[in-house]
Amino acid sequence: MKDTFIHKGLRKKLVATLQKKGIANREVLAAINTVPRHLFMDSGFLDHAYVDKAFPIAADQTISQPYTVARQTELLEVVRGDTVLEIGTGSGYQTAVLLEMGVTVYSIERQNELFKKTKRFLPQLGYRPKKLIFGDGYKGFPEAAPYHGIIVTAGAPFVPKPLLSQLKVGGKLVIPVGENVQIMTVFTRTSPTNFEKEEFGEFRFVPLLEDKN
Ligand code: SAH
């Protein structure tokens, strides 16, 4: 597991690409500049690690496109010390980006194979989420709620109510909503009973699956 100057150079270029595509948040760009994305991918795709594209990981899932990770993280509007719940741990790349920003992370994954793999892998790179949960993201993780932010990294056919109810007032749920194409949607909890909704264009994700357990 090596991170060489070649990888560092490629990351710098990736960051420049993301800036050109409109990502402006300094902390997000710094995190992407630091996290060794190539180590989160299967060896067959190492050459592509710093191309702005999504790629297959285990269990028919994907590591999200860097732009998508950057955009969702930026939309969360979290700062150092905040607590975030992530739905869809996958490779752990998004988790690592949030940890790099000084955020406390809880993350849920429903694929046992991926859950076990990523739980072993993240600490090897020095990334320590507060808790990785094997379970159904539709339910959120009420035990550690409320959260400053909740980020869903799979396409949700609808907005799960438990996720809205696990937000702090002022907190944001960043969720791609839709079946084949998803609209990046942000819900801000403006009071205990009110949510403001904003939309940020089309994205494509693997589906957020209903619990099979
Ligand atoms: N954040 C990940 C993206 C992985 S793709 C990364 O950076 O690599 C989306 C992930 O969501 C997949 O791993 C998939 O297994 C998971 N997923 C799908 N439905 C889910 C559900 N209901 N609860 C939790 N995770 C789910």
Side-chain angles (χ1 to χ4, degrees):
M1 293 213 302
K2 277 197 179 146
D3 189 29
T4 67
F5 71 93
I6 296 176
H7 297 118
K8 291 187 174 104
L10 289 170
R11 278 206 293 283
K12 258 210 174 109
K13 280 198 188 143
L14 173 62
V15 166
T17 303
L18 297 180
Q19 275 179 302
K20 272 195 212 115
K21 291 186 179 179
I23 304 299
N25 183 302
R26 292 273 142 205
E27 284 75 26
V28 173
L29 292 168
I32 287 179
N33 197 38
T34 309
V35 179
R37 187 171 193 263
H38 61 288
L39 300 179
F40 291 75
M41 296 173 49
D42 292 331
S43 52
F45 293 98
L46 285 188
D47 291 349
H48 305 290
Y50 297 107
V51 177
D52 189 22
K53 285 196 177 144
F55 282 99
I57 50 173
D60 275 339
Q61 299 303 320
T62 58
I63 178 170
S64 300
Q65 181 181 347
Y67 174 77
T68 304
V69 173
R71 189 70 180 119
Q72 283 197 280
T73 311
E74 182 168 77
L75 289 171
L76 267 180
E77 287 186 25
V78 286
V79 296
R80 199 162 282 278
D82 281 356
T83 299
V84 166
L85 174 66
E86 176 190 21
I87 312 298
T89 315
S91 70
Y93 177 69
Q94 171 75 68
T95 313
V97 167
L98 288 164
L99 289 169
E100 217 34 91
M101 293 170 67
V103 166
T104 299
V105 184
Y106 291 83
S107 186
I108 310 179
E109 173 57 55
R110 73 182 280 285
Q111 275 277 356
N112 203 13
E113 178 192 346
L114 266 174
F115 166 75
K116 286 194 282 192
K117 186 175 175 200
T118 302
K119 195 179 159 98
R120 258 198 319 272
F121 171 70
L122 282 174
Q124 289 172 15
L125 294 187
Y127 290 119
R128 303 193 187 279
K130 185 83 176 189
K131 195 170 173 62
L132 294 181
I133 300 127
F134 171 54
D136 179 17
Y138 276 93
K139 302 191 181 91
F141 186 61
E143 289 86 340
Y147 303 96
H148 295 98
I150 301 179
I151 178 170
V152 180
T153 69
F158 60 90
V159 181
K161 287 260 157 61
L163 300 186
L164 289 170
S165 71
Q166 289 170 31
L167 279 178
K168 274 185 200 293
V169 170
K172 289 178 190 287
L173 167 64
V174 178
I175 180 168
V177 186
E179 305 269 355
N180 299 319
V181 177
Q182 292 83 33
I183 307 292
M184 191 60 72
T185 311
V186 177
F187 292 88
T188 307
R189 188 168 206 169
T190 51
S191 80
T193 51
N194 284 292
F195 295 87
E196 201 179 273
K197 178 182 165 185
E198 296 164 280
E199 294 183 336
F200 295 91
E202 290 186 356
F203 289 78
R204 271 170 209 274
F205 286 80
V206 294
L208 184 69
L209 296 170
E210 302 268 6
D211 196 12
K212 64 171 181 192
N213 300 309

